[in-house]
Amino acid sequence: MKKIVPFVSGCDEETTNLWLEHLQGQMSEYKIIPFEELSEEQKLSSTVAIVANPNPKDIAQLKNLKWIQSLWAGVEKLLQELPNSSFKIVRMTDPQLANSMAESVLAWTLYLHKNMPLYLKQQKQKQWKQHIETLPEERNILVLGLGNLGKESTKKLKENGFTVSGWARSKKEIEGVETFYGNDGLTQALKNADIVVCLLPLTDETKNLLDKQKLDLLHKKASIINFARGAIIDYEYLAKRLDKKELCHAVLDVFDIEPLPTSSSLWQNENITVLPHISAPTNMKTASKIASRNILEYFEKGIIPAFVDTNKGY
């Protein structure tokens, strides 16, 4: 009889069914069953579950879990909704995710580097005016967060000729990249940045990291890309600085409330590009392979993959 692996999903029906199709296709040895179809006996016998935006009340019914495999890279919501859990949380670590993020970082860095927001404004005004371009090596791109996503992004930016620096909470070294760490390092790095790319996890230490004091360190031609979490940056103060032309532009892909409410003033701000959380979507095919490999190793060898440090938040 095949082992049962619960799938606890808070996604819409279409997305849930697509995940089930991909996951089951990769795990023919096991039976992937949606939480709603589990018997009480199956709930109590499950020691591992796959989750995607799960309802905490559903997870609570799986009383003998040893670990859960999240299909997302970000786990702050899980940590918030499942405090003091007895089981381990394994985040999705997918090389494809890092590749997708690096592509997005490069694409939107080029968007800012090539003055595309300015030309869009000119088009709306029917204005024909050319602007002198800055060379990539003359543009300092600061990447905040030097984990897998940050490292791959710095590599991609370097390959395209940009001058790249990086910041992390603790000391990191990346070949060809000037790195900073700690509060003093962040202050120094922000002062020299032309484009700031935020790829940090949301933790107690990074929440509101780019507050009024930190945003004031940026020069008036600087721009920001946030592909991390909305709560890391004070968007209200950011918008004020943009309106006063004390900053150039912001590309925002993440928000405290998603979808971004239609009533939000961010939609109407011509100095802000709003994206619908698309910088690095999880690839169902590659993520399902990784989840399958992790679960296979657990059932065959008793190995739980590297899990989240609840103190650090990642």
Side-chain angles (χ1 to χ4, degrees):
M1 186 174 178
K2 291 183 177 181
K3 289 185 181 292
I4 300 298
V5 179
F7 179 45
V8 189
S9 172
C11 302
D12 60 67
E13 184 178 359
E14 181 181 2
T15 302
T16 296
N17 289 336
L18 282 172
W19 271 117
L20 283 168
E21 181 181 338
H22 279 84
L23 290 165
Q24 192 63 75
Q26 291 296 328
M27 288 184 258
S28 58
E29 307 94 333
Y30 313 115
K31 183 68 175 175
I32 314 299
I33 299 183
F35 175 82
E36 296 77 12
E37 299 177 15
L38 293 170
S39 67
E40 290 303 315
E41 181 182 354
Q42 288 170 334
K43 290 177 184 177
L44 292 176
S45 65
S46 298
T47 57
V48 59
I50 302 170
V51 304
N53 296 341
N55 185 329
K57 293 181 180 178
D58 293 342
I59 297 290
Q61 294 182 50
L62 306 176
K63 299 183 183 297
N64 293 305
L65 283 177
K66 294 186 182 298
W67 65 288
I68 61 174
Q69 172 69 67
S70 174
L71 295 176
W72 311 149
V75 292
E76 68 279 351
K77 186 178 180 183
L78 283 174
L79 293 174
Q80 182 181 359
E81 294 180 342
L82 301 169
N84 306 314
S85 56
S86 60
F87 52 82
K88 309 298 185 185
I89 297 174
V90 176
R91 62 196 289 268
M92 178 54 60
T93 305
D94 185 354
Q96 180 56 46
L97 189 70
N99 291 337
S100 294
M101 179 61 83
E103 288 176 354
S104 291
V105 168
L106 176 61
W108 292 98
T109 296
L110 287 169
Y111 172 79
L112 297 171
H113 172 65
K114 302 290 285 187
N115 288 321
M116 292 185 191
L118 177 57
Y119 288 118
L120 179 59
K121 289 179 188 177
Q122 289 185 184
Q123 179 181 342
K124 291 178 179 179
Q125 298 166 3
K126 300 179 182 178
Q127 182 181 13
W128 184 281
K129 184 179 180 181
Q130 298 176 351
H131 299 273
I132 297 173
E133 286 198 3
T134 300
L135 294 173
E137 60 265 31
E138 297 173 334
R139 189 86 71 180
N140 182 16
I141 316 300
L142 170 62
V143 177
L144 303 181
L146 298 176
N148 290 334
L149 302 183
K151 288 178 182 177
E152 195 64 29
S153 294
T154 60
K155 178 182 175 183
K156 183 75 75 174
L157 290 166
K158 286 288 293 181
E159 288 173 351
N160 283 271
F162 290 102
T163 296
V164 185
S165 60
W167 178 87
R169 287 200 309 140
S170 56
K171 189 175 182 179
K172 299 283 178 66
E173 292 186 5
I174 301 175
E175 186 177 353
V177 176
E178 184 179 14
T179 57
F180 302 85
Y181 68 98
N183 189 61
D184 290 343
L186 180 58
T187 296
Q188 184 180 353
L190 288 171
K191 288 180 179 178
N192 298 321
D194 296 313
I195 299 174
V196 178
V197 181
C198 186
L199 300 178
L200 291 161
L202 179 60
T203 66
D204 290 340
E205 288 75 21
T206 63
K207 187 173 183 179
N208 204 35
L209 180 70
L210 296 186
D211 56 10
K212 179 182 184 299
Q213 181 183 16
K214 293 296 192 298
L215 290 173
D216 280 344
L217 295 171
L218 296 170
H219 63 75
K220 68 178 183 179
K221 292 184 179 180
S223 296
I224 289 179
I225 298 172
N226 189 9
F227 289 163
R229 290 293 182 266
I232 295 174
I233 301 176
D234 184 343
Y235 279 178
E236 184 177 352
Y237 186 68
L238 173 63
K240 288 180 180 177
R241 285 210 68 188
L242 288 165
D243 288 340
K244 293 179 181 178
K245 301 190 185 305
E246 294 172 348
L247 286 175
C248 188
H249 199 84
V251 176
L252 307 179
D253 185 50
V254 285
F255 306 89
D256 291 337
I257 300 174
E258 295 183 358
L260 182 65
T262 56
S263 58
S264 173
S265 61
L266 298 177
W267 286 107
Q268 283 78 42
N269 195 315
E270 67 175 2
N271 298 311
I272 293 176
T273 297
V274 172
L275 302 175
H277 205 139
I278 47 82
S279 54
T282 299
N283 182 282
M284 289 187 180
K285 184 177 181 179
T286 56
S288 294
K289 288 181 180 179
I290 291 168
S292 172
R293 183 182 66 218
N294 288 345
I295 289 171
L296 182 67
E297 276 205 327
Y298 168 68
F299 281 127
E300 291 189 350
K301 303 177 184 178
I303 298 173
I304 296 177
F307 49 84
V308 173
D309 183 330
T310 55
N311 291 322
K312 291 182 178 179
Y314 56 91

